[in-house]
Amino acid sequence: MNAPLSNYISGRLISSGTSDLIPVLNPSTGAVISEMPVSSAAAVDEAVAAAKKAQVSWGRLPAIQRAHALRAISAKIRERVEPIARTISEEQGKLLGLAKVEVAFAADYLDYMAEWARRIEGEIIESDRPNENIFLFRKPVGVVGAILPWNFPFFLIARKLGPALVTGNAIVIKPSEETPLNAAAFIALLDGLDIPEGVINFVYGTGAGVGEAICAHPDVGLISFTGSAATGSRIMATAARNITKVNLELGGKAPAIVLKDADLDKAAKAVAASRTLNSGQVCNAAERVYVERPIAEAFVAKVSEEMKRLRVGDPLGGSEVDMGPMINRAGVCKVEELVRSALDSGATVVTGGRGTAEAGQGTYYEPTVLTGCRQDMDVMRKEIFGPVLPVMTVDSLDEAISLANDTEYGLTSSIYTENLSHALKASRELNFGETYINRENFEAMQGFHAGNRKSGIGGADGKHGLYEYTSTHVVYIQS
């Protein structure tokens, strides 16, 4: 078993100062592989103080010098892709191949954000007065508090750290209790790099402890959180005490619309891939399908075949395994309850529908397709976050769009059609932050990953995601 972890504050590994430890489990076996410290609010105070002190000189550096630090980190990541990916697989259950993609993408993301060093722009605004100039400058918010999820834990470090640092902020990061070991691997990469002490800090602990302390801290200028809508709501309430800016990527209930003119092979492959990527534990994955009646039977047959052929097992099993375990037993129980409720209300299992333990005590659930679903069922309204695909039949695109928009979430959506007019209509009328046409649900780093309604506030990626980590300063100069 790995040794207990230490916080990283002011460039040093520091004891959490508490004897409380949380076991870290391997979801494919149920074995304890490490222990995570439960840090106190005092540790958060220390980390924020270090970040606040370091940010002053860090923010004064030319952005290109800050970009050099990001590139140095990405270079170290590329030297350690395999061991970091194995750490992710062991603590999160992600397929090793997908974990390697995550690690490599994190390095690419840091390089991408470094490229913005020479592209951060202000504005010159026309004045109403003679002999006056108005300038808008973009400045750091100060200290960023980053609270991470467990589903793409290593990439989310890069997604929050990259834009925060290049725009001149310092950062305090709280890893998920489920996946702290990849954060320790990231910390190890920082050794020997020329990054001022205090610019990057990690504090381990619970959401109720460390997370709450970060959100309530008066010296935190921005809270960036990825996770559930319920937790996001609590973060907003806590941040409101200090009127702290929040950036929240929350849950999703992404609809996939399959029209009668769609390429059914393409649709079935893309929807199944979206639903089962990372065992269905992806906020922007297809969570429900609306298929036009004339091709419903054919589509269900094809997507069920795609789901049925997936081999479930040890994520380190290489090419012999297509899907690993879910993160924990609570996740499996939630999926089981949603499926049970749907069946009690008249839905039918076409394939799957059972938890499985092919790796002993692992937390697995079969890729599952449900038909006969209705809009009022929990499986069509609540986020599943597991490899279950509920399917509902519709009679028109208008009906599909209306049902798709009938949700408290608004992160991603998709449509499969060979008709350009139908695709454009869906693009206009679907009320979601993203719409994917004839492809799986997965965003690009140069886009803007943002949602509506309970799917969040603000967004990530691209120019617009970068500017989330800045404040504006307007200067009036009278000559």
Side-chain angles (χ1 to χ4, degrees):
M1 185 175 73
N2 295 302
L5 306 171
S6 297
N7 293 331
Y8 183 77
I9 301 173
S10 291
R12 298 183 297 278
L13 293 173
I14 297 176
S15 170
S16 65
T18 175
S19 59
D20 294 337
L21 298 170
I22 295 175
V24 181
L25 305 181
N26 180 332
S28 68
T29 64
V32 177
I33 55 176
S34 186
E35 292 177 314
M36 188 200 76
V38 181
S39 301
S40 63
V44 173
D45 290 339
E46 184 179 2
V48 172
K52 183 180 180 181
K53 179 181 178 181
Q55 189 277 322
V56 175
S57 56
W58 179 253
R60 289 174 179 163
L61 290 175
I64 193 63
Q65 292 187 31
R66 301 193 293 261
H68 293 333
L70 297 185
R71 291 193 176 98
I73 297 172
S74 70
K76 294 286 286 290
I77 290 173
R78 290 191 174 93
E79 295 172 358
R80 301 281 296 165
V81 171
E82 176 81 22
I84 296 172
R86 285 191 169 273
T87 295
I88 295 170
S89 291
E90 289 171 358
E91 67 177 343
Q92 196 259 314
K94 185 179 275 101
L95 293 180
L96 181 59
L98 181 59
K100 290 179 181 178
V101 170
E102 177 180 348
V103 177
F105 194 74
D108 289 346
Y109 197 90
L110 291 177
D111 282 341
Y112 170 75
M113 282 298 167
E115 293 171 1
W116 278 96
R118 292 190 175 98
R119 295 177 173 86
I120 300 171
E121 298 176 346
E123 298 177 20
I124 300 174
I125 302 168
E126 190 68 23
S127 175
D128 293 340
R129 297 184 179 188
N131 303 317
E132 181 175 72
N133 293 288
I134 304 174
F135 298 97
L136 184 148
F137 296 97
R138 294 191 182 275
K139 294 187 174 181
V141 297
V143 177
V144 173
I147 302 174
L148 305 182
W150 48 260
N151 58 340
F152 286 91
F154 195 80
F155 166 62
L156 265 295
I157 295 175
R159 193 181 226 175
K160 298 181 187 301
L161 181 144
L165 264 60
V166 79
T167 52
N169 302 286
I171 193 166
V172 176
I173 299 172
K174 188 200 92 65
S176 167
E177 298 96 309
E178 302 282 357
T179 54
L181 299 181
N182 73 94
F186 190 96
I187 292 168
L189 300 172
L190 303 178
D191 186 41
L193 297 184
D194 187 22
I195 300 174
E197 295 177 357
V199 170
I200 302 172
N201 307 273
F202 286 79
V203 180
Y204 297 102
T206 64
V210 168
E212 172 80 12
I214 289 173
C215 295
H217 205 290
D219 289 332
V220 171
L222 168 68
I223 299 160
S224 181
F225 168 74
T226 302
S228 71
T231 302
S233 178
R234 291 195 293 271
I235 284 173
M236 284 187 69
T238 302
R241 301 173 196 169
N242 296 309
I243 321 297
T244 304
K245 181 180 179 182
V246 295
N247 178 278
L248 308 174
E249 184 201 344
L250 308 178
K253 190 63 182 174
I257 297 172
V258 183
L259 299 183
K260 60 188 177 184
D261 58 21
D263 180 328
L264 293 190
D265 289 328
K266 180 189 294 184
K269 290 180 183 298
V271 170
S274 177
R275 184 60 269 163
T276 58
L277 179 73
N278 201 27
S279 303
Q281 300 166 128
V282 185
C283 58
N284 57 344
E287 279 258 342
R288 52 197 167 116
V289 175
Y290 300 102
V291 57
E292 278 198 294
R293 195 173 303 279
I295 48 90
E297 184 176 343
F299 172 77
V300 168
K302 287 180 181 292
V303 78
S304 297
E305 187 59 34
E306 291 291 330
M307 300 279 271
K308 192 181 301 182
R309 70 172 180 79
L310 297 176
R311 297 161 297 180
V312 179
D314 185 346
L316 295 174
S319 61
E320 300 301 312
V321 177
D322 301 303
M323 196 182 84
M326 296 184 63
I327 185 65
N328 54 32
R329 186 60 197 162
V332 174
C333 289
K334 176 185 175 183
V335 171
E336 288 175 334
E337 177 55 34
L338 285 169
V339 171
R340 185 182 305 113
S341 175
L343 297 180
D344 290 344
S345 298
T348 301
V349 172
V350 179
T351 187
R354 298 185 304 273
T356 177
E358 291 186 13
Q361 300 302 309
T363 49
Y364 292 85
Y365 198 86
E366 294 177 331
T368 299
V369 176
L370 301 176
T371 57
C373 296
R374 300 189 313 273
Q375 187 74 357
D376 62 348
M377 291 180 178
D378 283 348
V379 78
M380 294 291 287
R381 305 199 68 83
K382 295 182 178 181
E383 188 173 31
I384 302 168
F385 227 61
V388 174
L389 186 69
V391 181
M392 182 173 169
T393 303
V394 297
D395 290 309
S396 68
L397 175 56
D398 284 334
E399 182 186 6
I401 291 174
S402 176
L403 291 167
N405 287 335
D406 178 26
T407 176
E408 62 183 0
Y409 296 105
L411 189 57
T412 70
S413 56
S414 61
I415 182 169
Y416 297 85
T417 177
E418 296 298 296
N419 186 304
L420 179 59
S421 294
H422 291 160
L424 291 175
K425 176 182 173 67
S427 299
R428 290 191 302 269
E429 297 183 12
L430 285 170
N431 188 15
F432 293 82
E434 295 172 347
T435 296
Y436 300 90
I437 299 173
N438 295 329
R439 56 159 285 191
E440 79 286 355
N441 299 25
F442 211 82
E443 70 273 16
M445 67 177 72
Q446 66 270 34
F448 185 50
H449 185 56
N452 305 327
R453 303 185 293 283
K454 287 188 178 180
S455 286
I457 295 174
D461 308 335
K463 174 178 71 175
H464 302 289
L466 178 83
Y467 288 159
E468 291 282 321
Y469 289 80
T470 65
S471 60
T472 57
H473 183 189
V474 177
V475 176
Y476 298 81
I477 302 177
Q478 184 77 51
S479 60

